[in-house]
């Protein structure tokens, strides 16, 4: 694509989303981390949510209480929990937000374009690992859902829908679909053990949305990618700045200290609120700032849940 393209950074073109595909093999380990080799639908040495019983061990704080083996606990007088073999092949679901609030950015691209690239990158990694990939596209006009598929052609349909959503006209004053609605659609697509990635700015996360996130986290491995621009987190140096939505022009007054402090506090409350939910529910939380390389979301050290892998053992208790 030409560097003179006036829509570069404003709209995510399909060729751009194809270009973020990493070279070589790859895939997601059970915790959502990236592996450097391909794997398919067979058992893994990783333990976690799965359908095949592996062993019983002593209970550790942080283990899922639903997996406690009450028979062994009663026999030994010490609490024990069941472990289950994790299936390597499992669905990957990606919720990507391209609504009006995401059409903002001062470094490199709009948040919506960054989110689209991150979603595409996660899709290609899932394909490389032999996983079924699907997702939910939150566009200004509605919510599109795509069942997890292993077919490259059908996964390409999801990526194309993501690109189209970033180009869809969006009026800031228009009322579009809510994040809670997209989270509910995501939960409807997920089965236990699904890798779920939420790529959004969480601008309209309400009580309903929080409940949907918590329900998702019960049975799935959820990673929240908090997309933001630095100007949202903190005002620029004191002064008067023209800002526009492409139609109207207004001035941002960054002179008053009290206004600057309140501005930063509003963003911090939203950011820290999402982070707290992730901490309490064992989800992974990751900042994704405009101007950064979306490939950073794949760094294994950054894709760790708040609870260590040894303590976050999930599974279904057998009858």
């Amino acid at each position: 694509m030409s560097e003179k393209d006036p829509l570069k950074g404003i709209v995510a073109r399909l060729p751009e989303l194809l270009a973020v595909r990493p070279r070589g093999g790859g895939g997601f380990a059970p915790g959502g981390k990236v592996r450097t080799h391909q794997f398919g639908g067979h058992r893994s040495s990783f333990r976690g949510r799965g359908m095949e019983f592996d062993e019983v061990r002593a209970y550790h704080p942080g283990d899922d209480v639903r997996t406690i083996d009450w028979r062994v606990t009663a026999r030994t007088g010490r609490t024990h929990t069941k472990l289950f073999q994790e299936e390597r092949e499992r669905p990957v679901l990606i919720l990507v937000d391209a609504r009006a609030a995401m059409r903002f950015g001062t470094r490199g691209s709009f948040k919506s374009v960054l989110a689209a690239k991150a979603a595409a990158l996660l899709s290609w990694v899932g394909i490389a690992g032999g996983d079924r990939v699907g997702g939910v596209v939150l566009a200004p006009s509605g919510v599109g859902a795509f069942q997890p598929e292993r077919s490259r052609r059908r996964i390409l349909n999801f990526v194309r829908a993501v690109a189209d959503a970033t180009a869809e006209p969006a009026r800031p004053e228009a009322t579009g679909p809510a994040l809670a609605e997209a989270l509910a659609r995501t939960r409807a697509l997920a089965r236990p053990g699904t890798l779920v990635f939420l790529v959004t700015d969480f601008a309209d996360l309400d009580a309903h949305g929080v409940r949907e996130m918590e329900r998702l986290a019960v049975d799935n491995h959820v990673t929240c990618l908090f997309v933001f621009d630095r100007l949202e987190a903190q005002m620029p140096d004191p002064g008067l700045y023209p800002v526009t939505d492409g139609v109207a022009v207004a001035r941002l007054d960054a002179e008053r200290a009290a206004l600057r402090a309140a501005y930063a506090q509003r963003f911090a409350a939203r950011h820290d609120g999402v982070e707290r939910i992730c901490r309490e529910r064992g989800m992974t939380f990751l900042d994704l700032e405009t101007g950064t390389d979306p490939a950073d979301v794949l760094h294994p050290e950054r894709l760790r849940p708040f609870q260590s892998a040894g303590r976050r053992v999930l599974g279904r208790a057998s009858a």
Side-chain angles (χ1 to χ4, degrees):
M1 180 166 43
S2 170
E3 291 295 329
K4 296 181 180 180
D5 185 350
L7 295 181
K8 184 176 179 61
I10 297 175
V11 171
R13 310 279 198 183
L14 181 58
E16 284 184 281
L17 302 188
L18 297 176
V20 301
R21 185 172 182 173
R23 296 180 179 179
F28 294 109
K33 300 179 183 179
V34 175
R35 297 179 63 83
T36 57
H37 61 275
Q38 296 185 8
F39 51 79
H42 56 272
R43 292 200 315 168
S44 161
S45 60
F46 293 92
R47 297 184 177 92
R49 183 171 299 281
M51 297 304 296
E52 185 168 352
F53 174 74
D54 184 25
E55 65 175 331
V56 173
R57 66 151 168 79
Y59 177 87
H60 296 301
D63 287 346
D64 193 334
V65 296
R66 295 169 301 175
T67 63
I68 292 177
D69 190 320
W70 296 108
R71 293 181 180 178
V72 176
T73 297
R75 186 171 67 249
T76 63
R78 184 182 178 190
T79 305
H80 282 71
T81 187
K82 298 177 182 179
L83 299 182
F84 298 83
Q85 285 284 358
E86 186 85 52
E87 293 181 0
R88 287 189 174 189
E89 182 276 316
R90 59 175 162 184
V92 176
L93 284 174
I94 305 160
L95 183 157
V96 57
D97 191 348
R99 293 173 299 166
M102 294 286 286
R103 310 293 178 87
F104 176 76
T106 61
R107 290 170 172 80
S109 72
F110 279 0
K111 295 186 295 180
S112 54
V113 172
L114 178 61
K117 289 183 177 180
L121 186 58
L122 292 167
S123 298
W124 304 138
V125 171
I127 292 173
D131 294 318
R132 290 184 289 118
V133 178
V136 172
V137 181
L138 187 50
S141 62
V143 180
F146 296 79
Q147 289 280 353
E149 301 279 359
R150 193 175 287 108
S151 164
R152 293 176 184 268
R153 179 179 60 82
R154 294 188 177 182
I155 295 171
L156 184 60
N157 289 338
F158 166 67
V159 176
R160 182 180 290 108
V162 171
D164 291 344
T166 68
E168 187 178 306
R171 299 191 308 274
E173 73 279 4
T175 301
L179 177 60
E181 179 185 347
L183 289 168
R185 295 288 291 276
T186 303
R187 187 165 64 89
L189 291 176
R191 68 169 178 81
T194 297
L195 291 180
V196 179
F197 295 91
L198 309 178
V199 192
T200 175
D201 61 2
F202 296 91
D204 63 333
L205 182 65
D206 56 12
H208 182 194
V210 171
R211 287 195 298 272
E212 291 295 342
M213 285 179 62
E214 292 174 341
R215 290 167 180 167
L216 264 175
V218 170
D219 293 316
N220 307 287
H221 299 267
V222 181
T223 295
C224 294
L225 305 183
F226 189 98
V227 186
F228 74 100
D229 185 88
R230 192 173 305 175
L231 188 59
E232 293 179 302
Q234 186 174 2
M235 281 188 177
D237 294 336
L240 292 175
Y241 299 88
V243 294
T244 179
D245 61 0
V247 179
V249 178
R251 289 188 177 276
L252 174 64
D253 181 2
E255 293 282 1
R256 291 178 292 168
L259 181 62
R260 293 170 60 84
Y263 184 94
Q265 288 171 2
R266 281 195 298 271
F267 174 83
R270 173 161 57 94
H271 177 277
D272 296 349
V274 177
E275 187 175 18
R276 183 181 64 254
I277 293 168
C278 291
R279 183 185 306 112
E280 292 173 350
R281 298 299 177 181
M283 293 180 279
T284 298
F285 179 88
L286 179 65
D287 283 324
L288 189 57
E289 182 181 354
T290 56
T292 61
D293 185 350
D296 287 344
V297 302
L298 299 181
H299 195 290
E301 292 302 316
R302 301 189 70 187
L303 283 172
R304 285 180 174 175
F306 279 104
Q307 294 167 290
S308 66
R311 295 293 180 88
R312 191 172 184 263
V313 180
L314 303 176
R316 282 185 175 180
S318 60

